[in-house]
Amino acid sequence: MTEAAELPPAPEEARTVFGDRYADAVRYAELLADAGVQRGLIGPREVPRLWERHLLNCAVLSEVVPEGVTVCDVGSGAGLPGIPLALVRPDLKITLLEPLLRRTNFLTEVVELLGLDHVTVVRGRAEEVLGKLPPVHVVTARAVAPLDRLAAWGVPLLRPYGEMLLLKGDTAEEEVKAAGAALSKLGAVDTSVLHVGEGVVDPQSTVVRVEVGESPGGVRFAAKRAKAARTGRARRRR
């Protein structure tokens, strides 16, 4: 069993960001530092910086998520950014999408323990649930894959005129330039780099926003979605 470092006390910023869900945020941090490390969901070296680098870094994503929308957190892993976002934004309906069973088990336990009634855990890969999950307004992800590959997974899950909000690092600008052609083929109409969390995290969190038009994923995925919808209706009639 991996010996985890000690979880530091929550910074004062956490009380401001999480508000009346502050106690739940602390409980989630404790779970990550304990069961999360034991199950290999988070590295033991990350425990001392759980608050600044992980919970708060993800929670400030809420600054750019519209009100009352549906969200799919692709490759949710240990619940980042989906769970911090859920704690801050009870107005959202969030799906945590994760292919690995040990991770979905952890996510389900956390969701139940924290009483996150507006969060659903789904086991699967983005390409596997296309047409099975309703299209969402927003797709989120963090540290999952390079932008072009991540967009290929996430954009087809969007409803028309939806957006991806991706937490990225220092290479965000370079990734956006490199992925330009791939994003256009996927139906992206605008891509920008945002910085959120002023006064909460230093450095601020970097977010790549990918906005799509009326055909998320392009023509190929539109046909695939339509076929999946027809199959679903046929099954329901049986």
Side-chain angles (χ1 to χ4, degrees):
M1 186 178 296
T2 305
E3 184 70 25
E6 184 177 350
L7 177 68
E12 196 59 36
E13 291 84 355
R15 292 185 181 274
T16 303
V17 170
F18 290 104
D20 59 1
R21 298 306 295 262
Y22 168 75
D24 291 323
V26 172
R27 185 70 186 112
Y28 176 49
E30 292 170 347
L31 289 167
L32 286 174
D34 185 6
V37 172
Q38 293 175 19
R39 300 186 195 182
L41 304 182
I42 193 164
R45 293 183 180 178
E46 296 302 311
V47 173
R49 52 185 184 178
L50 265 179
W51 284 105
E52 289 81 3
R53 186 179 174 87
H54 298 285
L55 274 77
L56 290 173
N57 178 273
C58 290
V60 296
L61 181 63
S62 66
E63 294 178 15
V64 290
V65 179
E67 289 190 14
V69 298
T70 52
V71 178
C72 183
D73 189 33
V74 173
S76 195
L80 301 165
I83 288 178
L85 184 61
L87 288 170
V88 175
R89 296 287 300 277
D91 60 298
L92 305 175
K93 186 175 182 181
I94 299 176
T95 298
L96 306 179
L97 182 62
E98 169 55 48
L100 296 184
L101 180 60
R102 62 188 172 89
R103 293 177 179 171
T104 54
N105 285 343
F106 176 79
L107 293 173
T108 299
E109 292 167 15
V110 172
V111 166
E112 292 177 354
L113 181 65
L114 302 185
L116 298 174
D117 297 333
H118 57 306
V119 178
T120 302
V121 179
V122 174
R123 185 185 177 195
R125 300 181 184 279
E127 57 269 33
E128 296 169 347
V129 301
L130 183 64
K132 298 177 183 177
L133 292 180
V136 296
H137 297 88
V138 176
V139 165
T140 60
R142 176 178 185 251
V144 173
L147 179 57
D148 55 350
R149 196 187 319 162
L150 186 52
W153 297 335
V155 166
L157 299 177
L158 291 169
R159 57 185 293 169
Y161 306 104
E163 60 185 339
M164 293 189 76
L165 295 171
L166 312 173
L167 283 164
K168 284 288 185 178
D170 297 337
T171 61
E173 296 280 1
E174 289 79 1
E175 283 196 60
V176 167
K177 291 177 183 177
L183 293 173
S184 295
K185 288 181 181 179
L186 287 166
V189 296
D190 190 50
T191 306
S192 52
V193 178
L194 315 173
H195 298 283
V196 296
E198 183 178 3
V200 177
V201 288
D202 185 18
Q204 294 180 53
S205 300
T206 300
V207 180
V208 173
R209 170 187 273 157
V210 179
E211 300 173 77
V212 302
E214 61 182 355
S215 298
V219 176
R220 182 166 64 92
F221 285 102
K224 188 173 182 179
R225 271 195 299 271
K227 181 179 179 181
R230 289 194 299 270
T231 302
R233 287 195 295 269
R235 286 174 179 168
R236 287 194 292 273
R237 286 196 294 266
R238 290 173 187 168

